[in-house]
Amino acid sequence: MDRRPTTTPPATADATNLMAIAAFALSVLSVFVAPAAVAGVVCGHLARHRIRRSGERGDSWALAALIIGYLMIVLALGGLLLFGGFMLTVFGIMAFTV
């Protein structure tokens, strides 16, 4: 009879979840590359889920990644709306002045 465990052993309490650190890095990278914010948010949620299940460290990294990622998504969408409104205004004025 084989008595090997069927599940993976829990991670040690000293281990930091690498996905949380990657999520934070992606969220910070989103300052320069906007789509990285979405990847940071997704990785942040996945990291927090894994941290809760395994007991690893790094929840604060994942939470910071979520905050920065969501903030950058809101700022990017706001910037697109402002830019779009500006362009509509400029082209609208140009259409009536010709």
Side-chain angles (χ1 to χ4, degrees):
M1 178 182 287
D2 190 23
R3 293 193 179 260
R4 283 188 232 152
T6 57
T7 60
T8 58
T12 61
D14 294 336
T16 302
N17 189 301
L18 293 179
M19 188 175 287
I21 296 172
F24 182 77
L26 285 168
S27 293
V28 170
L29 180 67
S30 69
V31 172
F32 303 107
V33 182
V38 176
V41 166
V42 170
C43 287
H45 280 293
L46 291 173
R48 289 195 80 192
H49 178 72
R50 287 185 182 175
I51 288 168
R52 284 190 198 117
R53 291 180 64 208
S54 67
E56 291 176 308
R57 291 175 31 201
D59 189 55
S60 57
W61 287 98
L63 182 61
L66 289 174
I67 292 169
I68 293 169
Y70 279 125
L71 180 66
M72 293 308 296
I73 288 172
V74 168
L75 288 176
L77 290 176
L80 284 175
L81 287 174
L82 285 173
F83 180 74
F86 176 74
M87 295 310 286
L88 286 174
T89 303
V90 167
F91 286 119
I93 292 171
M94 288 174 51
F96 290 115
T97 59
V98 174

